[in-house]
Amino acid sequence: AVLTTMNDAAKALKKANADLDVDKVHDMMDDIAEQQDVAKEISEAISNPVAFGGEFDEDELEAELDALGEELELEEQEELDKQLLDVGPAVPTNLPEVPSAEPAKAKAKKAEEEDPDMAELAAWAS
């Protein structure tokens, strides 16, 4: 069974290689390499920043961004200061009226009358 399988595999390889030629394979590989080079050139052409016309200085851009941030913070701080300093009148309008009558005094009960234990403790303490 193993030898039969190996014989079938050898026949299949001969049949597959009958249509192939080493020169054809080299030509096909050269064509593939050439197409890959063309694709690489196209990719590089697309990735170049043509619309900008040149390189930018990262430090210069960072400094400009920082300056804009500081300017914005200064404007925000000035607006906040203006809001905090311009609070308007300090007199509230909805205050309750001051009572004119004397508050009623609560009826005072002697603690001894309410709690005999407390009366006993007070007598002991004195």
Side-chain angles (χ1 to χ4, degrees):
V2 174
L3 293 178
T4 307
T5 305
M6 290 177 69
N7 189 22
D8 291 342
K11 288 179 185 177
L13 281 173
K14 284 182 185 178
K15 184 177 179 183
N17 290 333
D19 295 335
L20 293 178
D21 182 18
V22 175
D23 291 331
K24 286 182 182 178
V25 171
H26 283 295
D27 290 341
M28 181 178 60
M29 295 304 291
D30 289 341
D31 289 342
I32 290 173
E34 184 178 330
Q35 292 304 316
Q36 286 177 336
D37 289 341
V38 169
K40 183 178 178 183
E41 288 178 20
I42 291 171
S43 175
E44 288 175 358
I46 290 173
S47 66
N48 283 338
V50 176
F52 297 113
E55 302 253 342
F56 291 106
D57 184 14
E58 292 282 334
D59 294 333
E60 183 180 327
L61 287 174
E62 191 70 32
E64 185 177 348
L65 180 63
D66 289 342
L68 288 173
E70 290 172 3
E71 183 179 321
L72 181 64
E73 287 177 5
L74 182 62
E75 290 174 4
E76 288 176 349
Q77 185 62 44
E78 287 174 356
E79 181 66 27
L80 184 61
D81 289 345
K82 182 179 176 183
Q83 289 176 0
L84 290 174
L85 293 175
D86 186 25
V87 292
V91 179
T93 57
N94 296 339
L95 289 177
E97 294 187 19
V98 177
S100 59
E102 187 72 26
K105 293 184 179 181
K107 294 181 182 178
K109 294 184 179 179
K110 291 185 177 181
E112 295 87 19
E113 293 176 1
E114 290 182 16
D115 192 0
D117 292 333
M118 289 300 289
E120 183 183 335
L121 182 63
W124 178 80
S126 55

